[in-house]
């Protein structure tokens, strides 16, 4: 491939690549192509040093303020609270809703455990909703059959950074005005739907800065508040149930215990690392867009012949390029292709096991639901290496390894 990949000369992000390990299945002298490499892309190390020498290491520091400012500007939100993880941000949203015994939260079956866990541990029962094939996001039709007077919230995920069917989901929820829409936007930061930023569409949105995400500080997250009515109480819950924030602003002369809460704040050492990553957002997203385009151009012509589908990006969506996935024709082939790719030194991988079939999912569900698309997709989905330090040569090796494995396992025609 030429032109659409990332050559060393045209690389837009000045990265410090971490040493790549020759894998056990590696091909002699070529190192394995890792699935994810958390690269340094800007001034991370300078900022961390500044944070440490500046003496403010805890939450509520200047770096966190600047990171939150970037995120709030992107979504137009009245407040963004920097948290220790996306899981913590989801938990904070659950506390804000005062979930009670008997309340239900609807979550997709095809997502990470935290999407459901955060609400279950706050006392809600879960209802697992299937996904639709077009976006792998929540299926509005299934959703419409699950709503009842116990449901307090519906959580959506913009899988791979591609917006779910927001319009149809809003139509379903129009009949249930008390039900809150939450975006678990761990994949979707800087993606859009009809020009609107992902993370600006729900009452709350959560972000992840875990090592595996587009922008990282190791472990970190944020709660995006899109309704100004939530801001004051959220700040109290965020600060161990105290009105410390109002005290810092000089609005009260001492701070005391006011409400429930926890220790949700992101250390400023980590916020410093994150701010440097966020400052490079345009360059990072441009690199990721080109990886996506490279895979799509190289793979889609072979789909029919070799029995796979490349990921789709339906119209009116600018994806956040969190990952690139393909769907093999069946589960056995997906596993065989993964195995063959690993033998050629390319670390492709599968993804979520449907939550409605897991032990904890069954235990937390208010009743069993059918999610056949989640089960089918989970068995056939394969994710290709996707990170900011992939070179043109790496992408060509990934494509070649995938096509060879696809040909070796192709169904007889
Ligand atoms: C990564 C991820 C999470 C968890 O993020 P943490 O920051 O590790 O808590 C939650 N939901 C989704 C969809 C994710 O991809």
């Amino acid at each position: 491939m030429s032109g659409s990949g990332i050559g060393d000369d045209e690389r837009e992000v000045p990265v410090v690549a971490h040493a790549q390990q020759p894998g056990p299945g590696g091909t002699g002298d070529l190192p394995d192509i890792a699935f994810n490499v958390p690269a340094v892309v800007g001034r991370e190390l300078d900022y961390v040093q500044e944070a440490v020498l500046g003496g403010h290491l805890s939450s509520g520091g200047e770096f966190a303020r600047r990171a939150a400012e970037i995120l709030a500007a992107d979504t137009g939100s009245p407040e963004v609270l920097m948290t220790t993880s996306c899981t913590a941000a989801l938990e904070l949203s659950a506390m804000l809703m005062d979930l009670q015994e008997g309340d239900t939260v609807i979550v997709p079956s095809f997502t990470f455990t935290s999407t459901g866990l955060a609400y279950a541990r706050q006392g809600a029962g879960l209802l697992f909703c299937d996904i639709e094939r077009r976006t792998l996001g929540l299926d509005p039709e299934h959703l419409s059959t699950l709503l009842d007077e116990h449901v307090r919230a519906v959580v959506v995920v913009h899988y791979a950074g591609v917006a779910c069917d927001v319009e149809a989901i809003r139509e379903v929820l129009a009949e249930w005005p008390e039900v809150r829409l939450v975006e678990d936007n761990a994949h979707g930061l800087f993606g859009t739907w009809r020009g609107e930023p992902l993370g600006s569409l729900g009452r709350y949105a959560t972000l992840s800065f875990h090592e595996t995400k587009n922008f990282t500080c190791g472990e970190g997250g944020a709660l995006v508040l899109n309704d100004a009515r939530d801001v004051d109480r959220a700040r109290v819950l965020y600060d161990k149930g105290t009105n410390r924030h109002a005290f810092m602003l000089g609005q009260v002369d001492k701070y005391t215990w006011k409400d429930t809460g926890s220790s949700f704040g992101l250390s400023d050492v980590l916020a410093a690392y994150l701010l440097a990553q966020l400052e490079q957002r345009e360059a990072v997203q441009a690199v990721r867009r080109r990886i996506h385009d490279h895979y799509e151009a190289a793979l889609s012509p072979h789909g029919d012949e070799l029995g796979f589908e490349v990921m789709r990006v339906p119209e009116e969506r600018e994806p956040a390029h969190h990952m690139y996935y393909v769907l093999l024709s069946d589960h056995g082939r997906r596993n065989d292709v993964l195995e063959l790719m690993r033998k050629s030194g390319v670390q492709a991988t599968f993804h979520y096991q449907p939550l409605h079939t897991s032990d904890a999912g069954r235990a937390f569900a208010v009743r069993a639901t059918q999610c056949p698309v989640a089960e089918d997709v989970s068995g056939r989905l394969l994710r290709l290496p996707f990170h900011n330090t992939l070179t043109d040569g790496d992408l060509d090796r990934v494509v070649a390894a995938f096509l060879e494995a696809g040909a070796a396992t192709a169904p007889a025609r």
Side-chain angles (χ1 to χ4, degrees):
M1 287 299 298
S2 63
S4 62
I6 297 158
D8 285 321
D9 297 332
E10 41 182 340
R11 184 140 56 202
E12 289 162 31
V13 181
V15 289
V16 178
H18 299 233
Q20 292 199 328
Q21 310 292 324
T27 51
D29 42 8
L30 282 177
D32 271 15
I33 296 176
F35 177 72
N36 181 52
V37 175
V40 173
V41 297
R43 302 178 63 194
E44 289 91 329
L45 305 180
D46 291 341
Y47 283 4
V48 166
Q49 183 167 351
E50 235 181 89
V52 171
L53 296 178
H56 184 120
L57 311 186
S58 61
S59 69
E62 191 54 19
F63 286 105
R65 192 191 60 72
R66 287 162 65 190
E69 207 169 79
I70 290 176
L71 300 171
D74 176 61
T75 45
S77 309
E79 179 75 302
V80 173
L81 297 171
M82 304 306 300
T83 60
T84 51
S85 66
C86 181
T87 305
L90 288 162
E91 289 169 353
L92 181 48
S93 80
M95 283 185 188
L96 274 168
M97 285 192 267
D98 284 318
L99 294 171
Q100 312 281 328
E101 180 92 35
D103 289 343
T104 304
V105 174
I106 296 178
V107 302
S109 174
F110 193 64
T111 181
F112 191 65
T113 58
S114 305
T115 316
L117 172 62
Y119 302 97
R121 77 189 289 272
Q122 220 32 50
L126 302 179
L127 267 179
F128 292 103
C129 185
D130 207 357
I131 54 171
E132 51 146 14
R133 293 188 185 275
R134 211 166 53 113
T135 62
L136 308 192
L138 209 68
D139 176 8
E141 252 177 69
H142 192 213
L143 174 65
S144 69
T145 69
L146 296 177
L147 284 151
D148 62 29
E149 68 279 13
H150 300 290
V151 175
R152 299 282 315 281
V154 172
V155 190
V156 298
V157 174
H158 306 297
Y159 186 77
V162 174
C164 65
D165 190 347
V166 178
E167 180 172 36
I169 291 168
R170 279 182 175 168
E171 270 168 30
V172 172
L173 291 183
E175 312 213 350
W176 301 89
E178 300 303 315
V179 174
R180 295 185 185 178
L181 181 66
V182 184
E183 295 172 271
D184 176 347
N185 197 29
H187 299 185
L189 178 59
F190 303 130
T192 65
W193 172 76
R194 293 189 181 167
E196 293 184 65
L198 304 185
S200 70
L201 308 166
R203 174 132 173 189
Y204 319 108
T206 63
L207 297 170
S208 175
F209 304 113
H210 185 266
E211 174 180 302
T212 50
K213 302 305 199 285
N214 293 23
F215 300 89
T216 183
C217 57
E219 300 274 3
L223 179 66
V224 178
L225 297 169
N226 289 322
D227 188 325
R229 286 173 297 176
D230 293 321
V231 172
D232 287 345
R233 179 150 190 256
R235 283 185 181 136
V236 171
L237 272 48
Y238 176 83
D239 245 338
K240 297 110 172 165
T242 72
N243 58 348
R244 182 171 174 280
H245 187 81
F247 173 73
M248 298 304 279
L249 294 178
Q251 294 165 352
V252 292
D253 60 7
K254 57 185 179 305
Y255 78 88
T256 59
W257 190 10
K258 292 292 197 186
D259 203 333
T260 186
S262 190
S263 181
F264 286 112
L266 182 69
S267 157
D268 222 44
V269 180
L270 293 177
Y273 195 99
L274 179 66
L275 175 66
Q277 293 249 314
L278 291 175
E279 284 177 347
Q280 295 296 319
R281 59 197 176 281
E282 279 176 28
V284 166
Q285 293 302 80
V287 165
R288 300 179 79 98
R289 185 178 319 122
R290 285 163 59 194
I291 296 171
H292 177 110
D293 292 348
H294 186 125
Y295 281 149
E296 182 170 89
L299 296 179
S300 53
H302 302 281
D304 285 345
E305 172 201 346
L306 297 180
F308 66 85
E309 293 165 59
V310 297
M311 72 177 273
R312 280 187 271 178
V313 181
E315 59 186 6
E316 307 186 303
R317 287 158 171 85
E318 179 57 41
H321 300 300
H322 175 51
M323 68 175 85
Y324 195 87
Y325 68 83
V326 293
L327 293 166
L328 275 300
S329 51
D330 67 65
H331 176 59
R333 276 192 78 208
R334 192 279 306 274
N335 291 349
D336 293 345
V337 168
L338 274 180
E339 176 83 26
L340 287 169
M341 290 183 77
R342 284 184 190 157
K343 280 193 183 132
S344 31
V346 175
Q347 293 178 14
T349 187
F350 52 86
H351 210 189
Y352 305 128
Q353 304 306 297
L355 297 181
H356 73 288
T357 64
S358 67
D359 291 344
R362 276 193 247 257
F364 287 125
V366 294
R367 61 177 183 274
T369 50
Q370 303 292 315
C371 306
V373 179
E375 288 178 37
D376 173 54
V377 163
S378 170
R380 298 193 290 117
L381 186 140
L382 178 150
R383 293 181 293 158
L384 297 175
F386 205 115
H387 57 78
N388 305 334
T389 60
L390 287 166
T391 63
D392 262 353
D394 292 336
L395 295 177
D396 289 339
R397 265 183 71 201
V398 173
V399 166
F402 176 78
L403 292 178
E404 271 168 39
T409 59
R413 284 156 60 86

